[in-house]
């Protein structure tokens, strides 16, 4: 556990209990202030690549500084010890993880968090000498908060063991020792190389002058379910059988190298000469035949749910690490559906995935640089014509790819593990805007922000939301939270509890896209919502389709009986407005009233527009 800070706002770590012995052991290594070494640099580069972080370091904690024996993604050679996260890690048994430094009681005031470089995420695995004294860490740093699960911690600790061996060895290992370490890094179930060892094994298996490869990436989407349902023996047997099939399909071109990147992901690569040219589509077709069909285990026959990505290329186009990363990214986009999902990394697919990969990569910096912005669309009372609220609509004009649609921004944020950060950015920006408008226009109506159920599940979100209101001195009533109906039902009870607490603070809720979810009527009576938004799909046909009009009438009547207001979104014609008014829909929103406008245009819109 972290030691208690000496003062309420102290961010410096206490000395290690055996500090004198520890410093003597560190000096004895002869590594302090030594010149750069490729044997360490390749490990930090590998760590940055495997964990997809901008910075990886081997940090040695000296008396008054932390000095970087190796650094990837950082220019500085050292930092003061009292600012070093790694100095805190010395007190841990194995690893220190700080998923969000800005929210951490010890680290949030650290100058490296408050100022440059703006550290948000840190994970440091302790490096010890032969007597067990901590010398420093192998650490990962990101400028964005991120989760770090048990499997990732295990992989970082495994890589730290390799670094520790290098520290204690003091000289380059002979080839035989590297081979022994590789053998120890094999998965006992499939004989695949675990994580980082896979890339080392690939390099050693590459024949001279071979620069083409065939690669297959396989994810078993229902492995966890089968383990839970039938026991790990069944899951292990299926995994072993699929690994054999995977290798046999590639073996025609040579002996493949098999890797297991985590519990349910296998990757196989075989080096090929220039004469052995096969398109990715041809490779995918052969692999689907090899991998398709049920698997017979000792006790029963199981049907694996698989996501397969196949690539055939040259390292002049894609390095192996980039190819594996691209395959993982492609699998994340292609998988998740029942059955066998398969995709070849063709030039067109590569371009599309690369675009998506760049967008995922760029979202964090876009948030940090305020490169995103909000537009605001008014909604009006359908009977008085007065504006009663403004919905925030997210916009991102990417410098290379142009306008990114809002649903795609949300999808990108989910892939980048940035959804919570994105939705908090929207709330902060909306509240800042509300503060400005309300100081100029006393009766300014609420601003509506869209949130997903996952944000409502985040620990501490309600407290954070209240703090943001207090920081800007705006009343809770200035905000209305729109929750998409379909995002609420996975953890319904917990979401309802959070919504109820937030509603008690004075912040209202709307249920967005009502009518498109699968459990809306059964759960509606338990949700603390004040408004239902009728989905545009019903509004589009409300004039010419009697069934659409009947559905709208049913939603409006049911909501009125429950004391809930209704708003129709996507209203584009006067006839739609009149029909909805006849059906007693309380509010409307859409291009008939106004398109989304920039923040600067809202005050004039608010003071000058009354509809009808």
């Amino acid at each position: 556990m972290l030691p208690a800070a000496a003062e309420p706002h102290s961010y410096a770590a206490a000395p290690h209990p055996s500090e004198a012995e520890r410093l003597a052991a560190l000096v004895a290594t002869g590594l302090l202030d030594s010149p750069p070494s490729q044997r360490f640099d390749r490990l930090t580069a590998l760590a940055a690549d495997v964990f997809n972080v901008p910075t990886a370091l081997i940090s040695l904690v000296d008396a008054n500084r932390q000095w970087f024996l190796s650094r990837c993604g950082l220019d500085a050679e050292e930092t003061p010890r009292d600012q070093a996260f790694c100095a805190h890690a010395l007190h841990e048994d194995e690893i220190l993880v700080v998923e969000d430094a800005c929210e951490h009681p010890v680290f949030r005031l650290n100058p490296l968090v408050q100022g440059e470089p703006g550290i948000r995420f840190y994970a440091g695995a302790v490096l010890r000498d032969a007597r067990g004294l901590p010398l420093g860490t192998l650490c990962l740093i990101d400028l964005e908060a991120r989760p770090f699960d048990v499997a990732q911690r295990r992989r970082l600790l495994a890589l730290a063991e390799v670094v520790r061996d290098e520290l204690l060895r003091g000289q380059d290992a002979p080839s035989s020792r590297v081979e022994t370490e590789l053998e120890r890094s094999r998965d006992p179930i499939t004989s695949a190389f675990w994580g980082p060892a896979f890339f080392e094994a690939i390099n050693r298996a590459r024949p001279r002058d071979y620069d083409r490869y065939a690669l297959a990436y396989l994810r078993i989407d229902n492995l966890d379910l089968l383990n839970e349902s039938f026991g790990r023996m069944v899951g292990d047997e299926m995994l072993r059988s699929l690994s054999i099939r995977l290798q046999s399909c590639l073996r025609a071109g040579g002996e493949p190298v098999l890797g297991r990147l985590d519990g349910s992901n296998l990757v196989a690569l075989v080096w090929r000469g220039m004469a052995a040219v096969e398109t990715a589509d041809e490779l995918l077709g052969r692999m689907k035949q090899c991998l398709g069909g049920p698997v017979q285990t000792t006790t029963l026959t199981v049907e694996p749910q698989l996501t397969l990505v196949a690539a055939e290329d040259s390292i002049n186009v894609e390095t192996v690490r980039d190819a594996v990363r691209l395959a993982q990214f492609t699998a994340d986009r292609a998988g998740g559906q029942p059955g066998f999902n398969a995709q070849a990394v063709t030039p067109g697919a590569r371009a599309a995935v690369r675009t998506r990969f760049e967008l995922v990569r760029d979202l964090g910096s876009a948030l940090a640089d305020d490169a995103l912005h909000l537009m605001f669309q008014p909604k009006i009372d359908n009977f008085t014509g007065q504006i009663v609220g403004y919905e925030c609509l997210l916009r991102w004009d990417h410098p290379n790819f142009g306008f990114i649609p809002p649903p795609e921004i949300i999808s990108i944020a989910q892939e980048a593990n940035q959804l919570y950060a994105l939705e908090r950015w929207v709330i902060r920006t909306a509240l800042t805007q509300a503060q400005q408008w309300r100081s100029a226009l006393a009766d300014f109506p609420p601003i509506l922000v869209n949130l997903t159920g996952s944000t409502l599940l985040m620990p501490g979100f309600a407290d954070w939301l209240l703090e943001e209101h207090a920081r800007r001195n705006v009343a809770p009533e200035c905000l209305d939270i729109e929750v998409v109906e379909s995002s609420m039902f996975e953890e319904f009870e917990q979401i309802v509890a959070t919504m109820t607490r937030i509603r008690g603070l004075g912040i209202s809720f709307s249920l967005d896209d009502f009518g498109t979810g699968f459990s809306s009527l059964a759960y509606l009576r338990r949700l603390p919502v004040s408004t239902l938004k009728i989905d545009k799909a019903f509004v589009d046909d409300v004039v010419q389709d009697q069934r659409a009009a009947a559905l709208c009438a049913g939603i409006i009547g049911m909501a009125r009986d429950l004391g809930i207001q209704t708003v129709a979104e996507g209203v584009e014609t006067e006839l739609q407005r009149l029909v909805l008014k006849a059906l007693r829909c309380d509010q409307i929103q859409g291009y008939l009233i106004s398109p989304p406008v920039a923040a600067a245009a809202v005050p004039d819109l608010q003071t000058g527009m009354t509809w009808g």
Side-chain angles (χ1 to χ4, degrees), residues 173-207:
S175 176
S176 59
R177 177 155 189 170
V178 174
E179 291 174 356
T180 301
E181 289 179 355
L182 284 174
E183 288 303 313
R184 291 173 180 170
S185 300
R186 285 183 181 268
D187 167 35
I189 298 169
T190 62
S191 294
F193 292 103
W194 274 113
F198 170 67
F199 295 103
E200 181 72 35
I202 285 173
N203 291 333
R204 294 179 65 79
R206 179 183 173 185

mmCIF file of all heavy atoms in Angstrom, residues 173-207:
data_model
loop_
_atom_site.group_PDB
_atom_site.id
_atom_site.type_symbol
_atom_site.label_atom_id
_atom_site.label_comp_id
_atom_site.label_asym_id
_atom_site.label_seq_id
_atom_site.Cartn_x
_atom_site.Cartn_y
_atom_site.Cartn_z
ATOM 1 N N ALA A 173 23.212 -11.504 -22.676
ATOM 2 C CA ALA A 173 23.021 -12.945 -22.498
ATOM 3 C C ALA A 173 23.460 -13.702 -23.738
ATOM 4 O O ALA A 173 23.281 -13.243 -24.852
ATOM 5 C CB ALA A 173 21.545 -13.226 -22.220
ATOM 6 N N PRO A 174 24.035 -14.857 -23.563
ATOM 7 C CA PRO A 174 24.347 -15.692 -24.717
ATOM 8 C C PRO A 174 23.069 -16.198 -25.366
ATOM 9 O O PRO A 174 22.015 -16.234 -24.760
ATOM 10 C CB PRO A 174 25.155 -16.841 -24.108
ATOM 11 C CG PRO A 174 24.755 -16.883 -22.664
ATOM 12 C CD PRO A 174 24.458 -15.475 -22.294
ATOM 13 N N SER A 175 23.202 -16.625 -26.596
ATOM 14 C CA SER A 175 22.037 -17.077 -27.354
ATOM 15 C C SER A 175 21.306 -18.207 -26.655
ATOM 16 O O SER A 175 20.081 -18.247 -26.635
ATOM 17 C CB SER A 175 22.486 -17.518 -28.759
ATOM 18 O OG SER A 175 21.405 -18.040 -29.482
ATOM 19 N N SER A 176 22.058 -19.137 -26.061
ATOM 20 C CA SER A 176 21.403 -20.278 -25.425
ATOM 21 C C SER A 176 20.509 -19.830 -24.274
ATOM 22 O O SER A 176 19.454 -20.403 -24.033
ATOM 23 C CB SER A 176 22.447 -21.266 -24.912
ATOM 24 O OG SER A 176 23.305 -20.636 -23.972
ATOM 25 N N ARG A 177 20.937 -18.789 -23.554
ATOM 26 C CA ARG A 177 20.122 -18.321 -22.427
ATOM 27 C C ARG A 177 18.835 -17.678 -22.936
ATOM 28 O O ARG A 177 17.779 -17.830 -22.335
ATOM 29 C CB ARG A 177 20.924 -17.335 -21.582
ATOM 30 C CG ARG A 177 20.101 -16.782 -20.449
ATOM 31 C CD ARG A 177 20.928 -16.326 -19.294
ATOM 32 N NE ARG A 177 20.088 -15.993 -18.153
ATOM 33 C CZ ARG A 177 20.532 -15.746 -16.945
ATOM 34 N NH1 ARG A 177 21.822 -15.843 -16.705
ATOM 35 N NH2 ARG A 177 19.710 -15.428 -15.983
ATOM 36 N N VAL A 178 18.938 -16.892 -24.013
ATOM 37 C CA VAL A 178 17.726 -16.306 -24.592
ATOM 38 C C VAL A 178 16.751 -17.399 -24.989
ATOM 39 O O VAL A 178 15.544 -17.314 -24.730
ATOM 40 C CB VAL A 178 18.079 -15.431 -25.811
ATOM 41 C CG1 VAL A 178 16.815 -14.944 -26.498
ATOM 42 C CG2 VAL A 178 18.942 -14.252 -25.378
ATOM 43 N N GLU A 179 17.278 -18.457 -25.609
ATOM 44 C CA GLU A 179 16.402 -19.557 -25.999
ATOM 45 C C GLU A 179 15.754 -20.202 -24.782
ATOM 46 O O GLU A 179 14.570 -20.551 -24.799
ATOM 47 C CB GLU A 179 17.210 -20.592 -26.793
ATOM 48 C CG GLU A 179 17.647 -20.092 -28.170
ATOM 49 C CD GLU A 179 18.567 -21.078 -28.854
ATOM 50 O OE1 GLU A 179 18.909 -22.108 -28.219
ATOM 51 O OE2 GLU A 179 18.942 -20.836 -30.008
ATOM 52 N N THR A 180 16.490 -20.347 -23.692
ATOM 53 C CA THR A 180 15.921 -20.926 -22.473
ATOM 54 C C THR A 180 14.810 -20.041 -21.923
ATOM 55 O O THR A 180 13.746 -20.523 -21.521
ATOM 56 C CB THR A 180 17.022 -21.103 -21.407
ATOM 57 O OG1 THR A 180 18.030 -21.954 -21.942
ATOM 58 C CG2 THR A 180 16.447 -21.711 -20.136
ATOM 59 N N GLU A 181 15.047 -18.712 -21.925
ATOM 60 C CA GLU A 181 14.024 -17.801 -21.434
ATOM 61 C C GLU A 181 12.777 -17.853 -22.306
ATOM 62 O O GLU A 181 11.654 -17.778 -21.810
ATOM 63 C CB GLU A 181 14.582 -16.381 -21.383
ATOM 64 C CG GLU A 181 15.614 -16.191 -20.282
ATOM 65 C CD GLU A 181 16.161 -14.780 -20.268
ATOM 66 O OE1 GLU A 181 15.807 -13.998 -21.170
ATOM 67 O OE2 GLU A 181 16.939 -14.467 -19.365
ATOM 68 N N LEU A 182 12.971 -17.978 -23.601
ATOM 69 C CA LEU A 182 11.821 -18.090 -24.492
ATOM 70 C C LEU A 182 11.014 -19.348 -24.185
ATOM 71 O O LEU A 182 9.778 -19.328 -24.166
ATOM 72 C CB LEU A 182 12.275 -18.104 -25.959
ATOM 73 C CG LEU A 182 12.686 -16.748 -26.539
ATOM 74 C CD1 LEU A 182 13.250 -16.936 -27.936
ATOM 75 C CD2 LEU A 182 11.505 -15.800 -26.570
ATOM 76 N N GLU A 183 11.701 -20.450 -23.944
ATOM 77 C CA GLU A 183 10.989 -21.682 -23.631
ATOM 78 C C GLU A 183 10.177 -21.545 -22.349
ATOM 79 O O GLU A 183 9.089 -22.092 -22.216
ATOM 80 C CB GLU A 183 11.984 -22.851 -23.510
ATOM 81 C CG GLU A 183 12.562 -23.295 -24.845
ATOM 82 C CD GLU A 183 11.471 -23.689 -25.833
ATOM 83 O OE1 GLU A 183 10.553 -24.441 -25.448
ATOM 84 O OE2 GLU A 183 11.519 -23.219 -26.985
ATOM 85 N N ARG A 184 10.724 -20.792 -21.391
ATOM 86 C CA ARG A 184 9.995 -20.585 -20.146
ATOM 87 C C ARG A 184 8.789 -19.664 -20.336
ATOM 88 O O ARG A 184 7.936 -19.592 -19.459
ATOM 89 C CB ARG A 184 10.931 -19.975 -19.098
ATOM 90 C CG ARG A 184 12.012 -20.928 -18.603
ATOM 91 C CD ARG A 184 12.979 -20.190 -17.708
ATOM 92 N NE ARG A 184 14.034 -21.088 -17.214
ATOM 93 C CZ ARG A 184 15.108 -20.682 -16.567
ATOM 94 N NH1 ARG A 184 15.285 -19.378 -16.336
ATOM 95 N NH2 ARG A 184 16.004 -21.541 -16.149
ATOM 96 N N SER A 185 8.748 -18.954 -21.444
ATOM 97 C CA SER A 185 7.659 -18.009 -21.700
ATOM 98 C C SER A 185 6.548 -18.625 -22.539
ATOM 99 O O SER A 185 5.773 -17.907 -23.164
ATOM 100 C CB SER A 185 8.209 -16.766 -22.419
ATOM 101 O OG SER A 185 9.176 -16.125 -21.634
ATOM 102 N N ARG A 186 6.468 -19.956 -22.561
ATOM 103 C CA ARG A 186 5.428 -20.620 -23.343
ATOM 104 C C ARG A 186 4.202 -20.920 -22.489
ATOM 105 O O ARG A 186 4.302 -21.235 -21.310
ATOM 106 C CB ARG A 186 5.952 -21.926 -23.945
ATOM 107 C CG ARG A 186 6.883 -21.746 -25.135
ATOM 108 C CD ARG A 186 7.271 -23.101 -25.703
ATOM 109 N NE ARG A 186 8.173 -23.012 -26.823
ATOM 110 C CZ ARG A 186 7.791 -22.955 -28.103
ATOM 111 N NH1 ARG A 186 6.511 -22.954 -28.403
ATOM 112 N NH2 ARG A 186 8.695 -22.893 -29.061
ATOM 113 N N ASP A 187 3.053 -20.808 -23.140
ATOM 114 C CA ASP A 187 1.786 -21.177 -22.516
ATOM 115 C C ASP A 187 1.708 -22.705 -22.444
ATOM 116 O O ASP A 187 1.853 -23.386 -23.467
ATOM 117 C CB ASP A 187 0.637 -20.624 -23.374
ATOM 118 C CG ASP A 187 -0.708 -21.204 -23.005
ATOM 119 O OD1 ASP A 187 -0.919 -21.468 -21.807
ATOM 120 O OD2 ASP A 187 -1.545 -21.371 -23.914
ATOM 121 N N PRO A 188 1.494 -23.298 -21.262
ATOM 122 C CA PRO A 188 1.481 -24.764 -21.158
ATOM 123 C C PRO A 188 0.317 -25.421 -21.888
ATOM 124 O O PRO A 188 0.391 -26.608 -22.206
ATOM 125 C CB PRO A 188 1.389 -25.009 -19.641
ATOM 126 C CG PRO A 188 0.812 -23.754 -19.087
ATOM 127 C CD PRO A 188 1.309 -22.647 -19.954
ATOM 128 N N ILE A 189 -0.747 -24.696 -22.187
ATOM 129 C CA ILE A 189 -1.916 -25.289 -22.845
ATOM 130 C C ILE A 189 -1.689 -25.418 -24.342
ATOM 131 O O ILE A 189 -1.938 -26.463 -24.942
ATOM 132 C CB ILE A 189 -3.170 -24.443 -22.561
ATOM 133 C CG1 ILE A 189 -3.458 -24.417 -21.062
ATOM 134 C CG2 ILE A 189 -4.381 -24.983 -23.325
ATOM 135 C CD1 ILE A 189 -4.496 -23.406 -20.663
ATOM 136 N N THR A 190 -1.193 -24.342 -24.970
ATOM 137 C CA THR A 190 -1.066 -24.325 -26.435
ATOM 138 C C THR A 190 0.383 -24.370 -26.903
ATOM 139 O O THR A 190 0.617 -24.489 -28.110
ATOM 140 C CB THR A 190 -1.705 -23.042 -26.984
ATOM 141 O OG1 THR A 190 -0.986 -21.908 -26.456
ATOM 142 C CG2 THR A 190 -3.175 -22.946 -26.588
ATOM 143 N N SER A 191 1.342 -24.245 -25.994
ATOM 144 C CA SER A 191 2.774 -24.091 -26.322
ATOM 145 C C SER A 191 3.054 -22.806 -27.079
ATOM 146 O O SER A 191 4.104 -22.657 -27.703
ATOM 147 C CB SER A 191 3.289 -25.299 -27.136
ATOM 148 O OG SER A 191 3.259 -26.463 -26.342
ATOM 149 N N ALA A 192 2.111 -21.861 -27.038
ATOM 150 C CA ALA A 192 2.324 -20.558 -27.670
ATOM 151 C C ALA A 192 3.210 -19.689 -26.790
ATOM 152 O O ALA A 192 3.257 -19.849 -25.574
ATOM 153 C CB ALA A 192 0.980 -19.868 -27.901
ATOM 154 N N PHE A 193 3.911 -18.758 -27.420
ATOM 155 C CA PHE A 193 4.727 -17.807 -26.671
ATOM 156 C C PHE A 193 3.824 -16.726 -26.090
ATOM 157 O O PHE A 193 2.996 -16.146 -26.789
ATOM 158 C CB PHE A 193 5.779 -17.168 -27.583
ATOM 159 C CG PHE A 193 6.837 -18.122 -28.033
ATOM 160 C CD1 PHE A 193 6.809 -18.644 -29.322
ATOM 161 C CD2 PHE A 193 7.857 -18.508 -27.183
ATOM 162 C CE1 PHE A 193 7.787 -19.533 -29.748
ATOM 163 C CE2 PHE A 193 8.837 -19.396 -27.597
ATOM 164 C CZ PHE A 193 8.798 -19.915 -28.882
ATOM 165 N N TRP A 194 4.010 -16.456 -24.812
ATOM 166 C CA TRP A 194 3.222 -15.423 -24.156
ATOM 167 C C TRP A 194 3.721 -14.030 -24.564
ATOM 168 O O TRP A 194 4.910 -13.743 -24.538
ATOM 169 C CB TRP A 194 3.331 -15.522 -22.636
ATOM 170 C CG TRP A 194 2.362 -16.462 -21.995
ATOM 171 C CD1 TRP A 194 2.664 -17.627 -21.372
ATOM 172 C CD2 TRP A 194 0.950 -16.315 -21.902
ATOM 173 N NE1 TRP A 194 1.526 -18.230 -20.894
ATOM 174 C CE2 TRP A 194 0.451 -17.430 -21.205
ATOM 175 C CE3 TRP A 194 0.046 -15.347 -22.340
ATOM 176 C CZ2 TRP A 194 -0.904 -17.619 -20.945
ATOM 177 C CZ3 TRP A 194 -1.303 -15.521 -22.080
ATOM 178 C CH2 TRP A 194 -1.763 -16.642 -21.379
ATOM 179 N N GLY A 195 2.793 -13.146 -24.899
ATOM 180 C CA GLY A 195 3.023 -11.717 -25.058
ATOM 181 C C GLY A 195 4.338 -11.332 -25.683
ATOM 182 O O GLY A 195 4.614 -11.635 -26.849
ATOM 183 N N PRO A 196 5.224 -10.628 -24.934
ATOM 184 C CA PRO A 196 6.467 -10.105 -25.495
ATOM 185 C C PRO A 196 7.375 -11.179 -26.093
ATOM 186 O O PRO A 196 8.085 -10.918 -27.066
ATOM 187 C CB PRO A 196 7.139 -9.432 -24.285
ATOM 188 C CG PRO A 196 6.024 -9.120 -23.339
ATOM 189 C CD PRO A 196 5.016 -10.217 -23.529
ATOM 190 N N ALA A 197 7.359 -12.384 -25.511
ATOM 191 C CA ALA A 197 8.226 -13.451 -26.027
ATOM 192 C C ALA A 197 7.859 -13.827 -27.460
ATOM 193 O O ALA A 197 8.704 -14.335 -28.206
ATOM 194 C CB ALA A 197 8.139 -14.682 -25.121
ATOM 195 N N PHE A 198 6.618 -13.588 -27.863
ATOM 196 C CA PHE A 198 6.187 -13.918 -29.221
ATOM 197 C C PHE A 198 7.017 -13.142 -30.249
ATOM 198 O O PHE A 198 7.480 -13.700 -31.248
ATOM 199 C CB PHE A 198 4.695 -13.603 -29.371
ATOM 200 C CG PHE A 198 4.190 -13.666 -30.784
ATOM 201 C CD1 PHE A 198 4.137 -14.871 -31.471
ATOM 202 C CD2 PHE A 198 3.771 -12.515 -31.422
ATOM 203 C CE1 PHE A 198 3.661 -14.925 -32.772
ATOM 204 C CE2 PHE A 198 3.297 -12.562 -32.727
ATOM 205 C CZ PHE A 198 3.240 -13.769 -33.404
ATOM 206 N N PHE A 199 7.219 -11.845 -29.998
ATOM 207 C CA PHE A 199 7.960 -11.027 -30.963
ATOM 208 C C PHE A 199 9.430 -11.418 -30.991
ATOM 209 O O PHE A 199 10.070 -11.394 -32.047
ATOM 210 C CB PHE A 199 7.788 -9.549 -30.616
ATOM 211 C CG PHE A 199 6.373 -9.077 -30.758
ATOM 212 C CD1 PHE A 199 5.579 -8.891 -29.640
ATOM 213 C CD2 PHE A 199 5.827 -8.847 -32.008
ATOM 214 C CE1 PHE A 199 4.268 -8.469 -29.756
ATOM 215 C CE2 PHE A 199 4.517 -8.424 -32.142
ATOM 216 C CZ PHE A 199 3.729 -8.236 -31.018
ATOM 217 N N GLU A 200 9.985 -11.787 -29.851
ATOM 218 C CA GLU A 200 11.364 -12.267 -29.820
ATOM 219 C C GLU A 200 11.488 -13.561 -30.622
ATOM 220 O O GLU A 200 12.437 -13.752 -31.397
ATOM 221 C CB GLU A 200 11.799 -12.486 -28.372
ATOM 222 C CG GLU A 200 13.234 -12.957 -28.218
ATOM 223 C CD GLU A 200 14.237 -11.869 -28.530
ATOM 224 O OE1 GLU A 200 13.965 -10.692 -28.224
ATOM 225 O OE2 GLU A 200 15.297 -12.208 -29.102
ATOM 226 N N ALA A 201 10.519 -14.462 -30.449
ATOM 227 C CA ALA A 201 10.548 -15.739 -31.173
ATOM 228 C C ALA A 201 10.398 -15.519 -32.677
ATOM 229 O O ALA A 201 11.024 -16.228 -33.488
ATOM 230 C CB ALA A 201 9.437 -16.648 -30.649
ATOM 231 N N ILE A 202 9.582 -14.557 -33.079
ATOM 232 C CA ILE A 202 9.417 -14.246 -34.506
ATOM 233 C C ILE A 202 10.749 -13.816 -35.115
ATOM 234 O O ILE A 202 11.149 -14.283 -36.196
ATOM 235 C CB ILE A 202 8.359 -13.138 -34.696
ATOM 236 C CG1 ILE A 202 6.965 -13.697 -34.499
ATOM 237 C CG2 ILE A 202 8.470 -12.519 -36.084
ATOM 238 C CD1 ILE A 202 5.905 -12.633 -34.495
ATOM 239 N N ASN A 203 11.424 -12.912 -34.434
ATOM 240 C CA ASN A 203 12.702 -12.417 -34.960
ATOM 241 C C ASN A 203 13.724 -13.537 -35.098
ATOM 242 O O ASN A 203 14.495 -13.592 -36.063
ATOM 243 C CB ASN A 203 13.243 -11.318 -34.042
ATOM 244 C CG ASN A 203 12.408 -10.061 -34.107
ATOM 245 O OD1 ASN A 203 11.758 -9.795 -35.121
ATOM 246 N ND2 ASN A 203 12.398 -9.295 -33.028
ATOM 247 N N ARG A 204 13.736 -14.462 -34.153
ATOM 248 C CA ARG A 204 14.703 -15.554 -34.205
ATOM 249 C C ARG A 204 14.335 -16.581 -35.268
ATOM 250 O O ARG A 204 15.201 -17.295 -35.780
ATOM 251 C CB ARG A 204 14.797 -16.214 -32.831
ATOM 252 C CG ARG A 204 15.374 -15.292 -31.759
ATOM 253 C CD ARG A 204 15.430 -15.975 -30.404
ATOM 254 N NE ARG A 204 16.355 -17.112 -30.404
ATOM 255 C CZ ARG A 204 17.681 -16.997 -30.305
ATOM 256 N NH1 ARG A 204 18.229 -15.802 -30.204
ATOM 257 N NH2 ARG A 204 18.454 -18.048 -30.304
ATOM 258 N N ALA A 205 13.041 -16.670 -35.592
ATOM 259 C CA ALA A 205 12.594 -17.658 -36.585
ATOM 260 C C ALA A 205 12.714 -17.146 -38.013
ATOM 261 O O ALA A 205 12.589 -17.922 -38.961
ATOM 262 C CB ALA A 205 11.144 -18.050 -36.300
ATOM 263 N N ARG A 206 12.952 -15.866 -38.196
ATOM 264 C CA ARG A 206 12.956 -15.293 -39.543
ATOM 265 C C ARG A 206 14.187 -15.746 -40.327
ATOM 266 O O ARG A 206 15.322 -15.473 -39.924
ATOM 267 C CB ARG A 206 12.929 -13.768 -39.451
ATOM 268 C CG ARG A 206 12.963 -13.085 -40.816
ATOM 269 C CD ARG A 206 12.997 -11.583 -40.646
ATOM 270 N NE ARG A 206 13.189 -10.924 -41.937
ATOM 271 C CZ ARG A 206 13.347 -9.625 -42.089
ATOM 272 N NH1 ARG A 206 13.336 -8.838 -41.010
ATOM 273 N NH2 ARG A 206 13.525 -9.100 -43.284
ATOM 274 N N PRO A 207 13.989 -16.412 -41.454
ATOM 275 C CA PRO A 207 15.142 -16.801 -42.293
ATOM 276 C C PRO A 207 15.783 -15.569 -42.922
ATOM 277 O O PRO A 207 15.138 -14.542 -43.115
ATOM 278 C CB PRO A 207 14.509 -17.699 -43.375
ATOM 279 C CG PRO A 207 13.163 -18.074 -42.847
ATOM 280 C CD PRO A 207 12.721 -16.940 -41.992
#
